Amino acid sequence: MGVSHILLVDDDQELTELLSDYLEAEGVRVSVSNSAMNALERLQTEDAFDLAVFDIMMPEMSGLELLQQLRPGFQLPVIMLTGRGGDIDRILGLEMGADDYLSKPCNPRELLARIRAVLRRAKQPEPSVANILKHGKIELDPSKREVLIDTRVVDLTSAEFNVLYQFMQRPGEILSKSELTEKVLHRPLTAYDRAIDVHVSRVRQKIASCAGPQDLIKTVRGEGYLLVRDSA
């Protein structure tokens, strides 16, 4: 794997310089946009980035608006930086298709860990081409990282794809939030962390929009989630 190239989008020039210096020293190539409008243009015209980091609070266009402009159809992994203490911005970002989030002020080392985790899961799983998983109308091809329902492609982010992959590997088994967080987000579950819940919810919604209203992913109170076994 070559050097990862990320786009860091934040109007705080002092912060972007600090983060860029740290990340570059750790072997990550960093390009910076100090406005969301500039970032939007670059992301729509350049195909050089492995991941983007968006600050939420920016003038002219927020990081959430930037993400909304790009998703769906834009597969680049995105990490959101949130400057607010509440959950609303974090949940909104995940619901719009962000892969993960980190609160500001952020520790550069923690940001590097999140970047590496998101890049790792964006490239997983990598089983053989023949290892296609099927569950009712759903067909998941890990080698292509593609999900079909009745031959219709389902648009999933990398995190959402990996959530569904975990469920389809083990239908009928309860997967705890802690296990899903570690396997999908490549980090331990922390207090008040709702990222995995939002990703599971998004997978449910996208499956329902293609396969019908039946609830294939059940919540098991106090334990986690499970994919209902295929009755066919």
Side-chain angles (χ1 to χ4, degrees):
M1 179 178 172
V3 174
S4 298
H5 185 191
I6 74 165
L7 180 65
L8 179 59
V9 187
D10 196 314
D11 63 311
D12 186 336
Q13 295 187 27
E14 184 176 344
L15 177 63
T16 56
E17 288 177 8
L18 184 152
L19 293 176
S20 295
D21 288 346
Y22 180 84
L23 295 172
E24 295 266 4
E26 293 294 327
V28 179
R29 182 182 171 197
V30 181
S31 294
V32 173
S33 286
N34 291 123
S35 80
M37 294 298 294
N38 174 260
L40 180 62
E41 181 179 352
R42 295 187 67 176
L43 290 167
Q44 289 177 331
T45 58
E46 299 179 31
D47 187 24
F49 305 110
D50 299 299
L51 178 144
V53 179
F54 297 166
D55 180 36
I56 285 186
M57 299 299 292
M58 291 185 287
E60 296 181 347
M61 179 189 292
S62 71
L64 292 174
E65 291 170 321
L66 173 58
L67 186 61
Q68 189 174 38
Q69 290 279 332
L70 294 166
R71 300 281 202 231
F74 175 80
Q75 298 303 316
L76 191 73
V78 173
I79 297 174
M80 306 297 293
L81 298 181
T82 71
R84 296 176 180 173
D87 287 338
I88 295 176
D89 282 342
R90 300 172 188 176
I91 293 171
L92 279 174
L94 293 170
E95 288 179 342
M96 288 179 182
D99 292 84
D100 209 347
Y101 61 79
L102 192 61
S103 297
K104 292 174 68 178
C106 65
N107 184 314
R109 185 175 180 180
E110 175 68 9
L111 177 59
L112 176 64
R114 294 293 178 97
I115 288 170
R116 286 175 171 167
V118 170
L119 289 174
R120 278 199 305 272
R121 74 172 182 253
K123 298 180 182 300
Q124 294 177 345
E126 296 179 345
S128 66
V129 174
N131 191 18
I132 294 176
L133 302 177
K134 295 184 179 181
H135 186 284
K137 300 178 181 180
I138 307 170
E139 185 174 296
L140 184 148
D141 187 337
S143 64
K144 296 180 181 177
R145 293 190 65 82
E146 181 179 75
V147 174
L148 302 176
I149 297 180
D150 284 338
T151 71
R152 176 182 172 186
V153 176
V154 184
D155 181 32
L156 299 176
T157 65
S158 63
E160 292 163 359
F161 179 92
N162 289 346
V163 165
L164 184 58
Y165 178 77
Q166 292 299 323
F167 283 125
M168 290 186 65
Q169 281 190 307
R170 296 159 60 185
E173 292 186 37
I174 298 173
L175 304 183
S176 70
K177 293 181 182 180
S178 177
E179 180 181 3
L180 282 170
T181 299
E182 290 178 2
K183 289 189 173 181
V184 172
L185 303 183
H186 295 277
R187 58 178 172 81
L189 180 67
T190 57
Y192 311 112
D193 186 349
R194 296 187 58 194
I196 202 66
D197 299 299
V198 177
H199 289 311
V200 171
S201 176
R202 294 284 292 165
V203 172
R204 277 174 168 158
Q205 293 170 20
K206 291 181 179 181
I207 289 176
S209 69
C210 298
Q214 68 270 30
D215 191 3
L216 296 179
I217 300 175
K218 299 287 188 183
T219 300
V220 182
R221 189 175 296 276
E223 295 188 56
Y225 301 97
L226 67 81
L227 176 68
V228 177
R229 288 188 182 276
D230 186 6
S231 58

